[in-house]
Protein backbone atom coordinates (compact mmCIF):
# COMPACT_ATOMS: atom_id res chain seq x y z
CA UNK A 1 0.00 0.00 0.00
CA UNK A 2 1.42 3.32 -1.07
CA UNK A 3 1.68 6.43 1.04
CA UNK A 4 3.05 7.81 4.29
CA UNK A 5 1.73 7.41 7.81
CA UNK A 6 -0.36 10.23 9.25
CA UNK A 7 -0.50 11.02 12.94
CA UNK A 8 -3.87 10.97 14.66
CA UNK A 9 -6.10 13.85 15.61
CA UNK A 10 -9.11 14.18 17.86
CA UNK A 11 -12.00 16.51 18.61
CA UNK A 12 -14.94 16.25 20.99
CA UNK A 13 -18.50 15.10 20.23
CA UNK A 14 -20.86 17.80 21.43
CA UNK A 15 -24.56 17.43 20.74
CA UNK A 16 -27.06 20.31 20.81
CA UNK A 17 -30.77 19.44 21.13
CA UNK A 18 -31.04 18.34 17.51
CA UNK A 19 -27.67 18.78 15.87
CA UNK A 20 -24.17 17.43 16.16
CA UNK A 21 -21.80 20.41 16.22
CA UNK A 22 -18.50 18.55 16.28
CA UNK A 23 -17.34 15.06 15.39
CA UNK A 24 -14.90 12.70 17.02
CA UNK A 25 -11.97 12.09 14.72
CA UNK A 26 -10.51 8.74 15.69
CA UNK A 27 -7.46 8.39 13.47
CA UNK A 28 -6.32 7.84 9.93
CA UNK A 29 -3.10 6.93 8.17
CA UNK A 30 -1.62 6.93 4.73
CA UNK A 31 -1.05 3.18 5.09
CA UNK A 32 -4.75 2.23 5.33
CA UNK A 33 -4.39 1.65 9.07
CA UNK A 34 -5.51 3.38 12.23
CA UNK A 35 -3.25 5.11 14.73
CA UNK A 36 -3.79 5.96 18.43
CA UNK A 37 -5.73 9.19 18.94
CA UNK A 38 -4.90 12.23 21.06
CA UNK A 39 -6.53 12.23 24.54
CA UNK A 40 -9.73 14.24 24.87
CA UNK A 41 -11.01 16.52 27.58
CA UNK A 42 -14.26 15.42 29.20
CA UNK A 43 -17.43 16.76 27.60
CA UNK A 44 -20.78 17.34 29.31
CA UNK A 45 -24.14 17.13 27.59
CA UNK A 46 -26.81 18.89 29.61
CA UNK A 47 -29.57 17.69 27.28
CA UNK A 48 -28.88 13.95 27.52
CA UNK A 49 -31.67 11.56 26.56
CA UNK A 50 -31.61 8.68 29.01
CA UNK A 51 -32.02 5.11 27.78
CA UNK A 52 -34.13 2.40 29.40
CA UNK A 53 -31.00 0.92 30.93
CA UNK A 54 -30.39 3.86 33.25
CA UNK A 55 -30.57 2.72 36.85
CA UNK A 56 -29.73 -0.89 35.90
CA UNK A 57 -26.50 -2.36 37.26
CA UNK A 58 -25.05 -4.37 34.36
CA UNK A 59 -22.87 -6.75 36.40
CA UNK A 60 -19.98 -6.29 33.96
CA UNK A 61 -16.36 -5.45 34.63
CA UNK A 62 -15.45 -1.81 34.06
CA UNK A 63 -12.24 -0.31 32.76
CA UNK A 64 -11.37 -3.38 30.68
CA UNK A 65 -12.36 -5.17 27.48
CA UNK A 66 -15.23 -7.60 27.99
CA UNK A 67 -16.19 -10.29 25.45
CA UNK A 68 -19.96 -10.50 24.87
CA UNK A 69 -22.42 -12.21 22.55
CA UNK A 70 -25.92 -11.36 21.40
CA UNK A 71 -28.55 -13.46 19.65
CA UNK A 72 -29.72 -12.10 16.30
CA UNK A 73 -32.58 -14.17 14.92
CA UNK A 74 -31.02 -17.36 16.23
CA UNK A 75 -27.47 -16.47 15.14
CA UNK A 76 -24.87 -15.80 17.81
CA UNK A 77 -22.93 -12.59 17.15
CA UNK A 78 -19.91 -11.36 19.06
CA UNK A 79 -18.60 -8.01 20.25
CA UNK A 80 -16.16 -6.45 22.68
CA UNK A 81 -17.37 -3.88 25.18
CA UNK A 82 -15.65 -1.25 27.32
CA UNK A 83 -17.37 0.53 30.19
CA UNK A 84 -15.55 3.50 31.74
CA UNK A 85 -13.73 2.58 34.95
CA UNK A 86 -15.98 4.99 36.84
CA UNK A 87 -19.18 3.78 35.12
CA UNK A 88 -22.26 5.10 36.95
CA UNK A 89 -25.54 3.34 36.06
CA UNK A 90 -27.42 6.57 36.76
CA UNK A 91 -25.35 8.73 34.39
CA UNK A 92 -26.10 8.57 30.62
CA UNK A 93 -23.02 8.00 28.44
CA UNK A 94 -22.43 8.48 24.72
CA UNK A 95 -22.22 5.15 22.86
CA UNK A 96 -19.71 4.50 20.07
CA UNK A 97 -19.66 1.48 17.78
CA UNK A 98 -16.29 0.86 16.11
CA UNK A 99 -16.36 -1.54 13.13
CA UNK A 100 -13.23 -3.33 11.99
CA UNK A 101 -12.06 -3.80 8.42
CA UNK A 102 -12.32 -7.00 6.36
CA UNK A 103 -10.16 -9.89 7.63
CA UNK A 104 -9.72 -8.09 10.96
CA UNK A 105 -11.44 -8.45 14.31
CA UNK A 106 -12.68 -6.37 17.26
CA UNK A 107 -9.37 -7.04 19.03
CA UNK A 108 -7.37 -5.67 16.10
CA UNK A 109 -9.73 -2.70 15.80
CA UNK A 110 -9.40 -1.89 19.49
CA UNK A 111 -5.60 -2.10 19.22
CA UNK A 112 -5.66 0.28 16.27
CA UNK A 113 -8.23 2.90 17.26
CA UNK A 114 -7.52 2.66 21.03
CA UNK A 115 -10.87 4.25 21.83
CA UNK A 116 -10.79 2.53 25.20
CA UNK A 117 -7.83 4.74 26.12
CA UNK A 118 -10.15 7.75 25.96
CA UNK A 119 -13.32 6.14 27.32
CA UNK A 120 -12.51 6.77 30.98
CA UNK A 121 -11.57 10.43 30.53
CA UNK A 122 -14.25 11.48 28.04
CA UNK A 123 -16.22 9.42 29.28
CA UNK A 124 -18.22 7.14 26.95
CA UNK A 125 -19.13 3.50 26.30
CA UNK A 126 -17.58 1.83 23.27
CA UNK A 127 -18.44 -1.46 21.55
CA UNK A 128 -16.48 -3.24 18.84
CA UNK A 129 -18.86 -5.55 16.93
CA UNK A 130 -17.44 -8.55 15.07
CA UNK A 131 -18.10 -9.22 11.42
CA UNK A 132 -19.34 -12.74 10.71
CA UNK A 133 -16.70 -15.34 9.91
CA UNK A 134 -17.94 -18.75 11.02
CA UNK A 135 -19.17 -19.86 7.60
CA UNK A 136 -15.91 -19.02 5.81
CA UNK A 137 -13.35 -21.81 5.47
CA UNK A 138 -10.59 -19.26 6.06
CA UNK A 139 -12.50 -17.43 8.83
CA UNK A 140 -12.56 -14.32 6.65
CA UNK A 141 -14.51 -11.80 8.75
CA UNK A 142 -16.25 -8.98 6.93
CA UNK A 143 -19.48 -6.97 6.72
CA UNK A 144 -22.50 -7.40 4.50
CA UNK A 145 -22.47 -3.72 3.55
CA UNK A 146 -24.49 -2.56 0.52
CA UNK A 147 -22.97 -4.26 -2.54
CA UNK A 148 -20.82 -6.71 -0.59
CA UNK A 149 -22.94 -9.69 -1.64
CA UNK A 150 -24.24 -8.29 -4.95
CA UNK A 151 -24.01 -10.54 -8.00
CA UNK A 152 -23.51 -9.93 -11.69
CA UNK A 153 -21.01 -10.27 -14.50
CA UNK A 154 -20.46 -6.53 -14.86
CA UNK A 155 -20.63 -3.44 -12.64
CA UNK A 156 -23.88 -2.40 -14.33
CA UNK A 157 -25.44 -5.65 -13.13
CA UNK A 158 -24.53 -4.87 -9.55
CA UNK A 159 -21.18 -6.57 -9.03
CA UNK A 160 -18.79 -4.20 -7.21
CA UNK A 161 -15.65 -5.48 -8.92
CA UNK A 162 -14.22 -6.13 -12.36
CA UNK A 163 -11.62 -8.53 -13.71
CA UNK A 164 -8.35 -7.38 -12.21
CA UNK A 165 -6.22 -6.15 -15.14
CA UNK A 166 -3.12 -7.17 -13.21
CA UNK A 167 -4.15 -10.78 -12.55
CA UNK A 168 -6.93 -11.53 -15.03
CA UNK A 169 -9.16 -12.77 -12.19
CA UNK A 170 -12.16 -11.49 -10.25
CA UNK A 171 -12.02 -10.50 -6.61
CA UNK A 172 -9.53 -8.95 -4.26
CA UNK A 173 -7.94 -12.21 -3.14
CA UNK A 174 -6.75 -15.05 -5.33
CA UNK A 175 -7.40 -17.77 -2.77
CA UNK A 176 -11.06 -18.80 -3.27
CA UNK A 177 -11.30 -19.81 0.38
CA UNK A 178 -11.35 -16.14 1.28
CA UNK A 179 -14.55 -15.57 -0.68
CA UNK A 180 -16.41 -18.79 0.06
CA UNK A 181 -19.28 -18.24 2.48
CA UNK A 182 -21.67 -21.06 3.25
CA UNK A 183 -24.47 -18.57 3.97
CA UNK A 184 -24.40 -17.36 0.35
CA UNK A 185 -26.25 -19.38 -2.28
CA UNK A 186 -25.64 -18.50 -5.94
CA UNK A 187 -26.69 -20.42 -9.02
CA UNK A 188 -27.88 -23.29 -6.85
CA UNK A 189 -24.51 -23.79 -5.16
CA UNK A 190 -23.18 -22.78 -1.78
CA UNK A 191 -20.51 -20.11 -1.67
CA UNK A 192 -19.33 -20.48 -5.27
CA UNK A 193 -19.93 -18.43 -8.39
CA UNK A 194 -18.30 -17.68 -11.73
CA UNK A 195 -17.69 -14.09 -10.64
CA UNK A 196 -16.58 -14.17 -6.98
CA UNK A 197 -17.03 -10.47 -6.23
CA UNK A 198 -18.86 -11.04 -2.95
CA UNK A 199 -16.81 -10.04 0.06
CA UNK A 200 -18.97 -10.95 3.05
CA UNK A 201 -21.18 -13.62 4.52
CA UNK A 202 -24.84 -13.29 3.53
CA UNK A 203 -26.01 -12.44 7.04
CA UNK A 204 -28.03 -9.39 8.11
CA UNK A 205 -25.46 -7.07 9.64
CA UNK A 206 -27.90 -4.15 9.86
CA UNK A 207 -30.08 -6.36 12.06
CA UNK A 208 -26.99 -7.21 14.11
CA UNK A 209 -26.13 -3.56 14.73
CA UNK A 210 -29.77 -2.75 15.49
CA UNK A 211 -30.09 -5.63 17.94
CA UNK A 212 -26.81 -4.72 19.60
CA UNK A 213 -27.95 -1.12 19.95
CA UNK A 214 -31.23 -2.21 21.53
CA UNK A 215 -29.39 -4.59 23.85
CA UNK A 216 -26.94 -1.98 25.10
CA UNK A 217 -29.48 0.82 25.51
CA UNK A 218 -31.74 -1.48 27.53
CA UNK A 219 -28.99 -2.76 29.82
CA UNK A 220 -26.70 0.28 30.13
CA UNK A 221 -27.27 3.96 30.85
CA UNK A 222 -26.81 5.48 27.40
CA UNK A 223 -27.43 9.00 26.12
CA UNK A 224 -29.47 8.11 23.03
CA UNK A 225 -28.85 11.56 21.55
CA UNK A 226 -25.16 10.65 21.26
CA UNK A 227 -24.95 7.42 19.28
CA UNK A 228 -22.24 7.20 16.63
CA UNK A 229 -20.90 4.64 14.17
CA UNK A 230 -17.17 4.55 13.45
CA UNK A 231 -15.55 2.28 10.90
CA UNK A 232 -12.25 1.54 9.23
CA UNK A 233 -12.10 0.27 5.64
CA UNK A 234 -14.88 -2.34 5.15
CA UNK A 235 -16.17 -1.35 8.57
CA UNK A 236 -16.52 2.20 7.29
CA UNK A 237 -18.60 0.94 4.36
CA UNK A 238 -20.84 -0.84 6.83
CA UNK A 239 -21.11 2.20 9.09
CA UNK A 240 -22.16 4.46 6.22
CA UNK A 241 -24.58 1.92 4.77
CA UNK A 242 -26.25 1.24 8.11
CA UNK A 243 -26.62 4.90 9.07
CA UNK A 244 -27.97 5.91 5.67
CA UNK A 245 -31.17 3.85 5.88
CA UNK A 246 -33.81 2.71 8.31
CA UNK A 247 -33.99 1.40 10.97
CA UNK A 248 -30.73 3.03 12.18
CA UNK A 249 -30.93 6.26 10.18
CA UNK A 250 -33.00 8.12 12.77
CA UNK A 251 -31.03 6.75 15.72
CA UNK A 252 -27.42 7.36 14.70
CA UNK A 253 -26.21 10.91 15.29
CA UNK A 254 -22.86 10.77 13.48
CA UNK A 255 -20.66 8.58 11.30
CA UNK A 256 -16.86 8.59 11.21
CA UNK A 257 -15.44 6.59 8.29
CA UNK A 258 -11.72 6.41 7.65
CA UNK A 259 -10.08 4.99 4.55
CA UNK A 260 -13.51 3.79 3.49
CA UNK A 261 -15.97 4.41 0.66
CA UNK A 262 -19.20 2.77 -0.57
CA UNK A 263 -18.93 0.37 -3.47
CA UNK A 264 -19.62 2.00 -6.84
CA UNK A 265 -23.38 2.08 -7.42
CA UNK A 266 -24.15 1.88 -3.69
CA UNK A 267 -23.54 5.48 -2.60
CA UNK A 268 -26.72 5.93 -0.57
CA UNK A 269 -28.08 9.33 0.39
CA UNK A 270 -29.07 9.26 4.08
CA UNK A 271 -32.86 9.07 4.37
CA UNK A 272 -35.17 10.15 5.82
CA UNK A 273 -32.83 11.99 8.18
CA UNK A 274 -29.60 13.85 7.45
CA UNK A 275 -26.63 12.38 9.35
CA UNK A 276 -23.35 14.20 10.04
CA UNK A 277 -20.30 12.54 8.48
CA UNK A 278 -16.59 12.85 9.07
CA UNK A 279 -14.73 11.18 6.19
CA UNK A 280 -11.00 10.57 6.53
CA UNK A 281 -9.01 9.62 3.44
CA UNK A 282 -5.39 8.86 2.68
CA UNK A 283 -4.37 10.76 -0.44
CA UNK A 284 -2.50 7.86 -2.02
CA UNK A 285 -4.32 4.87 -0.56
CA UNK A 286 -4.38 2.12 -3.17
CA UNK A 287 -6.62 -0.26 -1.19
CA UNK A 288 -9.65 2.05 -1.11
CA UNK A 289 -8.58 5.05 -3.22
CA UNK A 290 -10.22 8.39 -2.54
CA UNK A 291 -10.20 9.18 -6.26
CA UNK A 292 -7.91 8.79 -9.26
CA UNK A 293 -4.94 8.96 -6.88
CA UNK A 294 -4.16 5.39 -5.96
CA UNK A 295 -6.67 3.98 -8.45
CA UNK A 296 -5.37 1.21 -10.73
CA UNK A 297 -3.93 2.91 -13.80
CA UNK A 298 -4.09 6.33 -12.11
CA UNK A 299 -7.55 7.04 -13.49
CA UNK A 300 -11.18 6.43 -12.65
CA UNK A 301 -12.70 3.14 -13.80
CA UNK A 302 -16.20 1.80 -14.66
CA UNK A 303 -19.11 3.82 -13.27
CA UNK A 304 -16.67 6.63 -12.51
CA UNK A 305 -15.21 4.50 -9.73
CA UNK A 306 -11.90 4.57 -7.94
CA UNK A 307 -10.47 1.10 -8.65
CA UNK A 308 -8.75 -0.37 -5.62
CA UNK A 309 -6.37 -3.28 -5.28
CA UNK A 310 -8.05 -6.42 -6.56
CA UNK A 311 -10.15 -4.29 -8.94
CA UNK A 312 -12.86 -3.50 -6.42
CA UNK A 313 -14.87 -0.44 -7.46
CA UNK A 314 -15.38 2.37 -4.94
CA UNK A 315 -17.27 5.66 -4.99
CA UNK A 316 -14.84 8.61 -5.14
CA UNK A 317 -14.66 10.54 -1.88
CA UNK A 318 -16.07 13.76 -3.34
CA UNK A 319 -19.22 11.94 -4.46
CA UNK A 320 -19.67 10.49 -0.99
CA UNK A 321 -19.59 13.85 0.79
CA UNK A 322 -21.86 15.34 -1.89
CA UNK A 323 -24.45 12.62 -1.24
CA UNK A 324 -24.27 13.06 2.52
CA UNK A 325 -24.53 16.85 2.21
CA UNK A 326 -27.64 16.82 0.03
CA UNK A 327 -30.12 16.05 2.86
CA UNK A 328 -28.81 19.04 4.80
CA UNK A 329 -29.38 21.22 1.74
CA UNK A 330 -32.94 19.93 1.35
CA UNK A 331 -33.77 20.20 5.05
CA UNK A 332 -32.42 23.74 5.22
CA UNK A 333 -34.48 24.74 2.17
CA UNK A 334 -37.59 23.37 3.87
CA UNK A 335 -36.72 25.07 7.16
CA UNK A 336 -36.32 21.81 9.05
CA UNK A 337 -32.78 22.40 10.28
CA UNK A 338 -31.58 24.84 12.89
CA UNK A 339 -28.22 25.57 14.43
CA UNK A 340 -24.99 24.72 12.69
CA UNK A 341 -26.47 23.05 9.60
CA UNK A 342 -28.75 26.01 8.86
CA UNK A 343 -25.78 28.27 8.12
CA UNK A 344 -23.90 26.84 5.13
CA UNK A 345 -20.39 28.08 4.44
CA UNK A 346 -18.73 28.67 1.07
CA UNK A 347 -17.93 25.27 -0.49
CA UNK A 348 -14.47 24.10 0.41
CA UNK A 349 -14.26 26.14 3.60
CA UNK A 350 -11.30 24.80 5.63
CA UNK A 351 -12.07 23.20 8.99
CA UNK A 352 -9.11 24.00 11.27
CA UNK A 353 -7.39 21.14 13.11
CA UNK A 354 -4.25 20.77 15.18
CA UNK A 355 -2.64 18.83 12.32
CA UNK A 356 -3.14 21.32 9.52
CA UNK A 357 -0.22 21.12 7.11
CA UNK A 358 1.35 18.08 8.71
CA UNK A 359 2.26 15.87 5.75
CA UNK A 360 -0.25 17.84 3.67
CA UNK A 361 -3.13 17.04 6.03
CA UNK A 362 -6.21 19.25 5.93
CA UNK A 363 -9.98 19.17 6.48
CA UNK A 364 -12.75 21.05 4.70
CA UNK A 365 -16.51 21.33 4.38
CA UNK A 366 -16.47 20.49 0.67
CA UNK A 367 -20.10 21.37 0.04
CA UNK A 368 -20.23 24.07 2.70
CA UNK A 369 -22.08 22.08 5.35
CA UNK A 370 -20.12 22.01 8.63
CA UNK A 371 -21.75 18.70 9.55
CA UNK A 372 -20.12 16.93 6.57
CA UNK A 373 -16.34 17.21 6.77
CA UNK A 374 -13.66 15.56 4.64
CA UNK A 375 -10.05 15.24 5.75
CA UNK A 376 -7.22 14.16 3.45
CA UNK A 377 -3.53 13.76 4.04
Amino acid sequence: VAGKALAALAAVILVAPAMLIALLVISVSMTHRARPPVPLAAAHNASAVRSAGCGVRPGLATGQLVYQTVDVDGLEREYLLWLPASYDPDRPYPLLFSLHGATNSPVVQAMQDQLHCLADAAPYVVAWPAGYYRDSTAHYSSWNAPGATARGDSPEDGAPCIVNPLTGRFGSVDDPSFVSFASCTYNGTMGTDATPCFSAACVDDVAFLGTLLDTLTSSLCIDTSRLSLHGHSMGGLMAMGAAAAEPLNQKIRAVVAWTAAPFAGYNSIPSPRAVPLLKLDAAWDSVIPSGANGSIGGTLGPLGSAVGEGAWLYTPSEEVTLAWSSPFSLDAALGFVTGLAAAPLPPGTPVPTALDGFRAFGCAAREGWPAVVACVG
Side-chain angles (χ1 to χ4, degrees), residues 127-156:
W128 295 266
Y132 198 67
Y133 62 88
R134 293 178 178 174
D135 66 343
S136 168
T137 56
H139 292 280
Y140 177 102
S141 60
S142 190
W143 298 100
N144 192 3
T149 53
R151 307 309 308 152
D153 294 325
S154 69
E156 292 77 6

Side-chain angles (χ1 to χ4, degrees), residues 232-289:
H232 170 235
S233 192
M234 190 70 173
L237 273 72
M238 187 67 222
M240 286 186 283
E246 295 286 35
L248 295 179
N249 170 259
Q250 298 195 63
K251 297 180 180 180
I252 300 302
R253 292 296 181 261
V255 173
V256 180
W258 69 103
T259 55
F263 287 122
Y266 296 91
N267 184 27
S268 300
I269 295 176
S271 177
R273 178 183 164 274
V275 179
L277 171 70
L278 178 62
K279 192 167 188 316
L280 305 168
D281 292 309
W284 292 97
D285 188 354
S286 60
V287 178
I288 301 182

Side-chain angles (χ1 to χ4, degrees), residues 85-109:
S86 59
Y87 178 79
D88 179 353
D90 292 314
R91 172 183 178 175
Y93 295 84
L95 174 61
L96 285 66
F97 283 1
S98 183
L99 280 60
H100 62 77
T103 77
N104 282 337
S105 68
V107 172
V108 172
Q109 183 75 350

Side-chain angles (χ1 to χ4, degrees), residues 150-162 170 197 264-266 301-305 313:
R151 307 309 308 152
D153 294 325
S154 69
E156 292 77 6
D157 292 333
C161 75
I162 57 175
F170 278 96
C197 292
Y266 296 91
L303 305 181
S305 64
L313 308 180

